[in-house]
Amino acid sequence: MPAPRWFNANTAWRMLGSSALSLVLTLAGLLAVTFVMSAFSPIDPALQQVGDHASAATYAQARHALGLDAPLPLRFAHYLIGLCHGDLGISTATGQAVAGELREVFPATLELSTIALLISAIAGVGLALLSARWPGSWVDSAIRVISLLGSSVPIFWLGLVALALFYAHWHWAGGPGRLDDAYEYTIDMPTGLVLLDSWRSGMPGAFASAIRHMLLPALLLASYVLGSIARLTRTSLLGELHQEYVTLARAKGAGPGGILLRHVLPNCLGPMLTVIALAYTNLLQGAVLTETVFARPGLGRYLTNALFYGDVPAILGATLVLGIVFILINGVTDMLVRLLDPRLR
Amino acid sequence: MAEHPLLRVEQLEVRRRHGDATPLVGPLSFEIGPGATGLVGESGSGKSLTVRALLQLLPPSLQSHSRCMQFDGHELSTLRERQWQALRGADMALVMQDPRHALNPRLSIGTQIDEALRLHARLPRAERRERVLAAMHEVGLPQPRQLWTHYPHQLSGGMGQRVMLAIALINRPRLLIADEPTSALDTHLRDQVLELMMHLADAHGMSLLLISHDLPLVARHCRDVLVMYRGRLVDRCAAAALDTATSPYTRALWHCRPSGDTHGQLLPVFDPAQMDPVA
Ligand SMILES: Nc1ncnc2c1ncn2[C@@H]1O[C@H](COP(=O)(O)OP(=O)(O)OP(=O)(O)O)[C@@H](O)[C@H]1O
Ligand SMILES: [Mg+2]
């Protein structure tokens, strides 16, 4: 089909351009904040390196080697140039490059939270549709209970209970870690995504083991945002049902299910995407806790260790990566919302 | 009137489901025969609620009840929701007031007209497409093929109302109900769209129930007129006899039309005490 007459490539580009501009500005803000945090952190990396008993000369030498004696603007420039080369500094705890360590742990976190997002978005929107179709039925109560649990019970507590019941007691799910021990040290992890890597390893049982271990943390993490996705989507669906176009659809002879799916749902895409994007950022934060409870390698455990050791470059590197992901999620959502709405295209 | 009216309603009432039990509309009884019937009355007199009750399209907070509601000899008050869905849009169709709100902003024009057909006819896609294009052509939409992928916000009010008309007419209903179909349009478009609607209803032998504030317009286009006041039917007469109406309310409505002749004079005021409702 030829491009419709109204489709104006200029407007589309201008729109994407303005989204991209705000994205870049937010990113610049994030960089400035992480830099300031590192520059004024109470932990002195030079002191950390040379120790409390070093002489003043050794200390000054270390400061110079780390570039800490340069004026702030110059240090910021160095910081940016380093970032462009993918340099996030050296971890003071492990002596390894932070960027390399993050590349190993971050995919795991992204994998866990994305799977949790898929579960919670599908289940949440499904529940919302059911409850908008039959308002006042059991679905409403289910949504209320789930959102109450998800928002008020601490995730680590729920995690421990789930492990005690489903792993220790019933043996339905895998225990802590991302794989059974038999596979943990035998499988190659080139991508860091455990489902993908265990699938590609070709080892029978490895993939199943990965799934069994993914089950509890993913469900738990999903329950954390499921309630809010369901509740907000439901509100938005019910609000649309008063619109005139719903009356016209009924007058055409459409049934309530068809109206909900074909007419109301498309009109709720904007709010739904926004809610889901917000849930995604919440899930990434929640993943940090979940990983700690379930002893899964990932950004969460990395960050916990870094905080414990006062490893400033590692903390800031992880913060920066999370920040960039948040900004990207919001930016992409913003563009999607606009692209999906014919009135804004 | 024909021996067998298309729609016959007895003692129709619309009430709130909870609270106040006094009916918002009714009880009213009327018949709709072939040709165009006008339904007039001041704002808030219950015209829209009446037609929504006829189509079982009341909001959930309201309910309707009638002793008898017959469409083409079939009793409607015992129908289940599924049967209503089969009836709505196929045998009785509705044209709403404002296309800017009544058309779905997220769906293309073609999809929205096509849906009306898809809901009632099992046809191959290509044939449906032909019928939709023909319907768009019939209501005078220019370049239907290009328009197919347009969205409601890209249409003028007049075009939007033509789209609504195409939706209503595509299944060739027996009864077309139009609730103030032109009051959201400019005056010069009003007559155009109305003429088109009258012409198409006539050409396909449909009965038309036209709701309007505009008495002269109803007098010009309709055969019979029903007059509502505060939820009750207060008069029914031949449209041609409106200027000699005997009911005090109809007379007041008729003489309340501001025009060049009455410029600068006080319009007559209606005294409700003169009222004795019929039906
Ligand atoms: N959902 C509702 N709940 C309660 N009362 C309602 C509801 N909808 C309409 N009404 C009341 O019923 C009366 C009739 O309303 P209706 O919309 O039928 O008037 P109308 O004759 O169509 O007026 P207009 O010419 O302004 O469209 C009004 O007094 C209105 O306040
Ligand atoms: Mg009305």
Side-chain angles (χ1 to χ4, degrees):
Chain A
M1 202 170 290
R5 250 186 317 170
W6 54 265
F7 186 85
N8 185 338
N10 276 335
T11 355
W13 281 118
R14 193 151 4 106
M15 193 212 84
L16 288 183
S18 81
S19 288
L21 181 69
S22 71
L23 222 139
V24 167
L25 287 179
T26 323
L27 195 63
L30 175 70
L31 291 176
V33 168
T34 45
F35 172 73
V36 168
M37 276 163 65
S38 79
F40 296 101
S41 133
I43 298 167
D44 184 342
L47 194 62
Q48 235 175 2
Q49 199 173 48
V50 297
D52 285 346
H53 306 295
S55 68
T58 331
Y59 174 71
Q61 205 178 4
R63 267 182 73 82
H64 183 73
L66 289 169
L68 295 178
D69 52 352
L72 274 181
L74 198 62
R75 282 174 60 190
F76 189 49
H78 281 148
Y79 176 67
L80 290 183
I81 293 169
L83 280 182
C84 291
H85 294 103
D87 177 10
L88 291 171
I90 305 293
S91 159
T92 53
T94 62
Q96 304 286 317
V98 171
E101 292 185 329
L102 285 176
R103 207 169 295 133
E104 271 171 33
V105 297
F106 189 62
T109 303
L110 207 58
E111 182 183 34
L112 176 62
S113 30
T114 305
I115 288 172
L117 183 79
L118 287 179
I119 295 173
S120 56
I122 292 170
V125 172
L127 279 177
L129 282 169
L130 287 177
S131 98
R133 174 68 185 84
W134 292 283
S137 67
W138 60 270
V139 190
D140 283 352
S141 333
I143 291 180
R144 219 165 307 136
V145 170
I146 293 171
S147 33
L148 200 67
L149 281 181
S151 60
S152 58
V153 182
I155 208 164
F156 56 84
W157 187 81
L158 215 55
L160 290 177
V161 172
L163 271 178
L165 288 180
F166 297 105
Y167 166 64
H169 192 70
W170 285 313
H171 307 290
W172 289 348
R178 57 183 169 174
L179 286 167
D180 291 340
D181 283 344
Y183 304 109
E184 177 70 58
Y185 302 104
T186 45
I187 290 184
D188 235 15
M189 290 276 177
T191 63
L193 304 170
V194 66
L195 291 183
L196 189 64
D197 288 336
S198 63
W199 178 261
R200 293 205 307 196
S201 74
M203 248 193 268
F207 184 62
S209 162
I211 287 195
R212 270 163 47 84
H213 282 260
M214 182 64 83
L215 207 64
L216 280 187
L219 283 177
L220 204 72
L221 198 52
S223 77
Y224 183 50
V225 294
L226 175 60
S228 67
I229 293 181
R231 217 155 21 97
L232 290 166
T233 308
R234 172 181 177 276
T235 309
S236 142
L237 290 173
L238 289 179
E240 283 293 311
L241 281 177
H242 302 296
Q243 299 285 339
E244 295 254 294
Y245 68 76
V246 172
T247 309
L248 183 67
R250 288 176 68 200
K252 284 166 154 184
I259 287 177
L260 215 50
L261 291 176
R262 294 179 53 91
H263 288 270
V264 174
L265 195 61
N267 278 283
C268 294
L269 275 183
M272 268 165 53
L273 276 176
T274 313
V275 169
I276 290 173
L278 187 68
Y280 202 13
T281 55
N282 282 335
L283 283 177
L284 281 165
Q285 295 170 38
V288 169
L289 279 174
T290 312
E291 280 166 6
T292 316
V293 178
F294 287 90
R296 297 174 70 85
L299 195 66
R301 228 166 62 174
Y302 184 74
L303 206 53
T304 316
N305 286 339
L307 283 168
F308 189 69
Y309 290 113
D311 186 346
V312 176
I315 296 169
L316 289 178
T319 311
L320 190 65
V321 168
L322 269 182
I324 289 174
V325 172
F326 284 11
I327 291 174
L328 281 180
I329 290 173
N330 284 324
V332 168
T333 312
D334 193 35
M335 282 190 223
L336 271 182
V337 168
R338 293 197 203 189
L339 280 175
L340 285 174
D341 190 338
R343 285 159 298 185
L344 298 179
R345 272 198 290 248
Chain B
M1 196 160 284
E3 65 282 357
H4 174 79
L6 183 61
L7 182 71
R8 195 160 73 87
V9 179
E10 270 176 39
Q11 305 284 311
L12 174 70
E13 282 186 356
V14 177
R15 303 168 188 267
R16 294 185 182 83
R17 252 180 227 284
H18 306 288
D20 194 0
T22 53
L24 288 163
V25 167
L28 15 123
S29 306
F30 57 90
E31 291 175 357
I32 293 174
T37 306
L39 178 57
V40 297
E42 63 191 40
S43 186
S45 56
K47 308 182 294 292
S48 296
L49 288 187
T50 305
V51 301
R52 303 257 155 128
L54 290 181
L55 288 161
Q56 291 283 298
L57 286 179
L58 290 169
S61 60
L62 302 180
Q63 61 184 354
S64 68
H65 176 81
S66 60
R67 184 186 297 161
C68 143
M69 187 147 112
Q70 284 183 347
F71 182 74
D72 201 17
H74 301 289
E75 181 58 44
L76 299 186
S77 52
T78 54
L79 292 191
R80 296 151 180 275
E81 174 55 25
R82 283 237 165 236
Q83 295 167 303
W84 270 109
Q85 284 166 24
L87 187 82
R88 278 187 219 125
D91 299 305
M92 288 195 219
L94 177 68
V95 173
M96 291 169 68
Q97 181 169 358
D98 192 344
R100 275 166 306 182
H101 296 120
L103 295 175
N104 190 328
R106 292 283 185 141
L107 300 179
S108 73
I109 303 305
T111 314
Q112 299 196 49
I113 303 176
D114 182 52
E115 185 191 23
L117 191 56
R118 193 178 47 79
L119 284 166
H120 298 287
R122 278 181 188 280
L123 292 175
R125 181 186 270 270
E127 193 174 328
R128 276 203 333 252
R129 190 175 159 83
E130 284 313 308
R131 295 232 347 228
V132 171
L133 289 173
M136 289 168 88
H137 182 75
E138 183 177 44
V139 297
L141 285 167
Q143 296 178 301
R145 265 166 223 283
Q146 277 93 320
L147 218 55
W148 186 289
T149 52
H150 278 47
Y151 287 85
H153 73 276
Q154 295 165 306
L155 302 182
S156 67
M159 284 167 93
Q161 207 51 293
R162 284 168 200 264
V163 170
M164 198 116 73
L165 208 51
I167 291 174
L169 293 177
I170 197 161
N171 289 305
R172 300 276 178 261
R174 312 276 311 274
L175 174 62
L176 183 64
I177 299 177
D179 189 352
E180 307 200 31
T182 55
S183 53
L185 302 180
D186 302 341
T187 9
H188 74 280
L189 274 173
R190 247 173 233 187
D191 285 326
Q192 231 179 328
V193 170
L194 211 63
E195 296 279 323
L196 174 72
M197 199 162 79
M198 294 293 173
H199 166 73
L200 290 174
D202 208 32
H204 299 300
M206 297 173 198
S207 295
L208 177 70
L209 178 59
L210 176 66
I211 289 112
S212 179
H213 285 299
D214 191 341
L215 237 59
L217 178 142
V218 168
R220 269 204 308 282
H221 290 106
C222 296
R223 228 169 86 152
D224 301 305
V225 183
L226 303 169
V227 184
M228 280 186 82
Y229 175 66
R230 294 201 179 164
R232 308 290 294 267
L233 216 50
V234 294
D235 195 9
R236 78 193 88 192
C237 60
L242 267 177
D243 49 350
T244 57
T246 49
S247 159
Y249 182 67
T250 314
R251 255 206 328 268
L253 263 188
W254 181 254
H255 291 291
C256 269
R257 298 160 297 142
S259 69
D261 301 342
T262 55
H263 182 78
Q265 303 170 21
L266 276 180
L267 290 169
V269 175
F270 172 63
D271 172 13
Q274 297 172 288
M275 227 33 242
D276 59 323
V278 291

